[in-house]
Amino acid sequence: MADVLCVGGTGTVGSRVVEGLVARGASVRCLTRSADRTRTSAGASDEGVEFMQGDLERPDTLGPALEGVPRMHLLTALHWQEARLGIGAVDAAAEAGVERIVFHSAHRAHAAPHIPHFASKMEILAALEASGVPWATIEPNHYFQNDLWLRRSLEAGVYPAPLGCVGLHRVDVRDIADATVNALLDDGHEGIRYPVVGPQLLTGEDVVRTWSEHLGREIEYVGDDLDAWEARASRSLPEWLVSDLRIMSEHFLAEGLIATEEDFATMSHVLGHAPRVFDDFVAETVATWSG
């Protein structure tokens, strides 16, 4: 028996959600595709976390994972059939009698349905609304922690991620996790779509200025060259994902991903503290890399 099933609970956001739930005293069942993870974590239930092997691509695994669990955090990974997999999870949760679902979506996904994975989020939301299960969504902006993947590039003096000159209200993953935990465990969040955003509008030049200051050397922003970005990304990512992310990046360069005052007011009901700032994240990261 567990209080919450976490689908996607081993990744950048999900692992922090699990930590936050346990810190609040909740017991967690974490769905994982890795049989090794379930074996090596056999004792984790003593610390409030039980790992159960399962996969959204194998719907037969969802019923056992949901058995006796009243709440679910649903974080669907980028996948060429993300909508189908997410809708299947919603259907399984409704059939199992889950009492609350908190779904990890994307900030302003409704405003950019031409981005394939944004469109998938909206299809899953439609399934949630039709499911009869009480729900809330967490809709984060671009993560600060995406920059952790860029360490080699930063050490080489360049920042290659496509952020553009319009700006994004980038957000710390820890704030996403805090908001998610509160939406899962506290009352008063039913039917609310929560933007989770950072306090500053950050352009590509703003970001490299901050990295330059903390690294003590000049970093060049090269993210607006999407052809070069696509060539690099194609070496390690599948074609469908490169295409999806390029469409998203084109949107960022043209329109940004900008929060409104209403977004900040709505977020305040679930976050419970001021959002973290990018400068602090970079300072902490550089200290860790140095240390």
Side-chain angles (χ1 to χ4, degrees):
M1 187 75 72
D3 298 314
V4 181
L5 174 69
C6 286
V7 178
T10 60
T12 301
V13 176
S15 60
R16 288 173 171 85
V17 171
V18 170
E19 291 171 4
L21 289 167
V22 172
R24 288 276 306 267
S27 58
V28 178
R29 181 176 295 160
C30 192
L31 197 70
T32 176
R33 287 176 290 187
S34 170
D36 289 340
R37 185 67 180 264
T38 60
R39 285 194 292 268
T40 59
S41 302
S45 59
D46 296 335
E47 301 173 2
V49 184
E50 170 196 0
F51 289 89
M52 179 174 285
Q53 190 174 10
D55 191 335
L56 296 187
E57 295 189 68
R58 294 170 51 208
D60 59 299
T61 65
L62 297 180
L66 286 160
E67 187 175 350
V69 180
R71 302 180 185 194
M72 178 170 76
H73 177 222
L74 177 59
L75 194 163
T76 51
L78 290 171
H79 190 283
W80 67 282
Q81 290 191 311
E82 181 179 353
R84 177 182 65 81
L85 299 179
I87 291 168
V90 170
D91 290 344
E95 184 175 348
V98 167
E99 299 167 8
R100 182 183 302 180
I101 298 172
V102 174
F103 171 54
H104 182 102
S105 185
H107 186 221
R108 297 192 58 76
H110 63 282
H114 64 288
I115 301 171
H117 72 275
F118 279 28
S120 294
K121 307 294 189 192
M122 299 312 297
E123 290 185 57
I124 297 168
L125 174 60
L128 273 173
E129 293 173 329
S131 70
V133 180
W135 58 269
T137 63
I138 299 297
E139 305 184 353
N141 205 282
H142 192 274
Y143 309 164
F144 294 168
Q145 280 77 4
N146 288 344
D147 288 4
L148 298 178
W149 297 99
L150 305 178
R151 180 174 179 177
R152 285 189 178 182
S153 295
L154 288 164
E155 289 174 344
V158 296
Y159 185 94
L163 302 182
C165 62
V166 179
L168 301 86
H169 276 96
R170 303 184 71 198
V171 65
D172 197 298
V173 160
R174 292 169 291 186
D175 291 341
I176 303 169
D178 290 346
T180 302
V181 169
N182 292 340
L184 282 164
L185 299 183
D186 299 336
D187 294 330
H189 301 297
E190 181 178 338
I192 301 177
R193 295 176 55 184
Y194 283 114
V196 184
V197 296
Q200 301 159 292
L201 186 64
L202 297 168
T203 66
E205 292 296 340
D206 293 329
V207 167
V208 298
R209 187 180 306 113
T210 302
W211 279 111
S212 297
E213 290 171 358
H214 288 281
L215 288 169
R217 59 181 178 275
E218 195 66 26
I219 305 297
E220 180 185 6
Y221 174 66
V222 297
D224 290 358
D225 186 344
L226 292 184
D227 290 337
W229 173 87
E230 184 172 346
R232 288 190 302 272
S234 296
R235 299 184 198 124
S236 57
L237 300 177
E239 182 178 352
W240 67 266
L241 183 54
V242 173
S243 175
D244 188 326
L245 296 179
R246 172 151 187 159
I247 293 168
M248 181 182 72
S249 298
E250 289 170 346
H251 179 72
F252 287 171
L253 267 56
E255 305 289 339
L257 194 60
I258 301 173
T260 65
E261 289 303 316
E262 182 180 1
D263 288 340
F264 286 108
T266 304
M267 179 177 70
S268 69
H269 294 299
V270 75
L271 184 55
H273 58 74
R276 293 170 171 88
V277 299
F278 184 65
D279 187 81
D280 290 344
F281 161 76
V282 174
E284 293 166 8
T285 301
V286 170
T288 299
W289 288 351
S290 301

